[in-house]
Amino acid sequence: MFLNDLREAVETDDFIRMVLGKPKETDAKKIIVTRFESKGTIKFSSDFRYAQKSVSKTSDLEGLVEFLKVNLGTTYLAATLFTNKADISFLVNKKGKPRITRAKATQNASSSGRHNRQKDYLISPDAAYLRELRVSDKAGNVIPKMYGKFRQIAKFIEIVDHSITRDVLDLKQPLSVLDVGSGKGYLTFALYDYLSKKWGKTVDVTGVDTKEDVVALCNNVAQTVGFKHLKFKHQNIENYASKKIDLLVALHACDTATDEALFQGIKHDAKLIFCAPCCQHEVSSQLRASATDNPLLQHGLFIEKQADLITDVARTLLLESRGYTVKIVEFVSSEHSMKNTLIVAEKSGVAVPAKLDEYLALKSQFGFAVQRLEVLLGKI
């Protein structure tokens, strides 16, 4: 019956996503299945969420159905199929008997995750804030020179959409979001717009930036377009005080500003962190000063590349040591920017002290003495 519901949802274009949970004798805590189109063919991406990593597998509908025939009710005792018409749940009770229930749909078509239609569902070119920010013209068409920025915004919201599930954030509670280094607010406005429409509850979004003029500009735009719970503050993240952060964003914060942002997320137990690091001067200068025969560090260009990688690996290990599951994804295509790494960290609640040992081994291997996030975490 449940598999028939799945087929019908796909055939009628009502499929949004599916989540498998309550694992039995498997390390993957849950599986999140989304749909996309590739060269005109419908495909499904199954994201296996382990304690400290995620593994994605692609299949067609028949492959997905075969997997469910083998694993649903045995390896995974629960599943929820989200469609435009209803939420359909499969659950094996304590007596080992399966039960299917139906409830009112809680999600909409924007969550379908189709690669070539995402921006149609999640970002509308004629949104008032895009016109005010000069991404779109008065007619609601993307200005040609801003198309790259529009694609970046759409890609980010797509990643956020794929990352948010009921298991990550409580969709029935108010949501507090902090955007560190918000700049001109392109992504901040899009995030507020997307979350406000998805949540149905109060969404408070705060952008923090050190440039007073852009903060004033963004607050003026927020007021103009009627975004009542979106505000921008002129201050350093080091001095930012907040009682609650559910979701933290830091995109292209320079050098250790990224670490300051990550620290705020960890300190406030943020459920989700999205961080796109920028330059890595702190570790780079230490690598240049170290006396090492490591061939990876014998040339200046190699040192810069290794500094980027080493710094982000260090951040990943420190996040994992504090109870976060980390995914590394491509934010924008490398043809547009080499700074295209996005760290997506989800709070799992299970700290892994062994990851701190791996971090210390990394320091010893490459000869750097200090990393800002480590220093900040030593204060809590």
Side-chain angles (χ1 to χ4, degrees), residues 190 200 290:
S290 66

Side-chain angles (χ1 to χ4, degrees), residues 63 71 96 100 134 160 166 173 177 212 281 287 329 336 350:
N71 293 280
I100 296 176
R134 304 294 187 269
V160 172
R166 283 178 169 180
Q173 297 297 320
V177 181
E212 191 170 4
H281 297 315
L287 295 181
V329 301
H336 300 296
V350 182

